Amino acid sequence: MSRADVVAAMADYYVQRAAYYERVYHKPERQTDLRAMEAWLPDVFEGRRVLEIACGTGWWTPHGAARAASWLATDLNPETMAVAQRKPLPACVSFEAVDAYTMAELGTLTFDAAFTGCWWSHVPLARLPGWLDLLHARLEPGAVVVMLDNSYVQTSSTPISRRDAEGNTYQDRTLDDGSVHEVLKNFPTPDEACAMLGPRAREPRWIAHEHYWILQYRLA
Ligand SMILES: C[S@@+](CC[C@H](N)C(=O)[O-])C[C@H]1O[C@@H](n2cnc3c(N)ncnc32)[C@H](O)[C@@H]1O
């Protein structure tokens, strides 16, 4: 598969999984991490105008947006956002269908914070620097950025099925209809992730939970 096909296959997989995607947030062994991260998010974005990339079903949205000035939740797929839109959410939250790889739908909008959950891991390594540049171009000086994602935990994660020539790893995931989908899913080390951030990133901070990691930084 080409890099573009890998990206398209991942987007399609999440459309098919949208109705029951949040089961992954009910795994008993992840509850302690989830409560800690949910409690941590509101302070980080207090008073900020936040762009959320790939919001999906909006698991993180109510927590991040709790005290934000505004929160634009975006995703490529209306099917995943529809689940988020049915939830009770802070009044500052709005939604828009946006392709994270172009952000063209955002016109000239800029923000003073950005958040994305479980997105970094799905971006092919060769596309990460370009994607980060695109995101940073939307952000004002001093903006706060938070990425969070899954850590690989042998007893809880779907096994890695293969590694490609560029170093991306993949998982074979089975949906409820029995179909199996190969999904690109990377598990960066703190050094690998921080090395991607580019020259505007300041004070990167890696917070390791058992099942998740958080990368927080500011832009110059
Ligand atoms: C792993 S889910 C993350 C959802 C949510 N942020 C979370 O942490 O639970 C990945 C999301 O990326 C979305 N997605 C896939 N391709 C995209 C693209 N090109 N632009 C924006 N969102 C995309 C999918 O629709 C899906 O909702």
Side-chain angles (χ1 to χ4, degrees), residues 58 61 68 97 106 131 133 137 145 147 149 196:
T61 308
L106 294 175
W131 176 72
D133 284 349
V145 184
M147 319 265 181
D149 219 307
M196 293 280 185

Side-chain angles (χ1 to χ4, degrees), residues 10-26:
M10 178 281 222
D12 179 59
Y13 163 80
Y14 280 108
V15 170
Q16 296 185 53
R17 189 178 156 195
Y20 50 90
Y21 170 77
E22 290 197 348
R23 273 189 217 149
V24 74
Y25 289 117
H26 301 147

Side-chain angles (χ1 to χ4, degrees), residues 7 10-11 14-15 21 25 52-60 74-77 80 98-101 116-119 122 148 185:
V7 163
M10 178 281 222
Y14 280 108
V15 170
Y21 170 77
Y25 289 117
E52 180 178 9
I53 296 292
C55 66
T57 60
W59 183 268
W60 304 105
T74 71
D75 197 283
L76 181 69
N77 290 316
T80 56
V98 172
D99 184 345
Y101 286 113
T116 183
C118 303
W119 165 254
H122 290 300
L148 64 81
K185 180 83 178 175

Side-chain angles (χ1 to χ4, degrees), residues 180-195:
V180 178
H181 301 254
E182 184 179 66
V183 177
L184 183 154
K185 180 83 178 175
N186 290 318
F187 297 92
T189 65
D191 286 348
E192 286 167 351
C194 290

Side-chain angles (χ1 to χ4, degrees), residues 1 6 16 46 83 92 132 136 151:
M1 262 204 282
V6 167
Q16 296 185 53
E46 181 155 14
V83 178
C92 69
L132 284 161
H136 294 169
S151 302

Side-chain angles (χ1 to χ4, degrees), residues 4 22 25 45 78 88 90 96 103 146 150 152 159 165 178 182 189 208-209:
E22 290 197 348
Y25 289 117
F45 294 113
E96 192 160 334
M103 302 192 199
V146 172
N150 301 98
Y152 188 81
E182 184 179 66
T189 65
H209 291 272

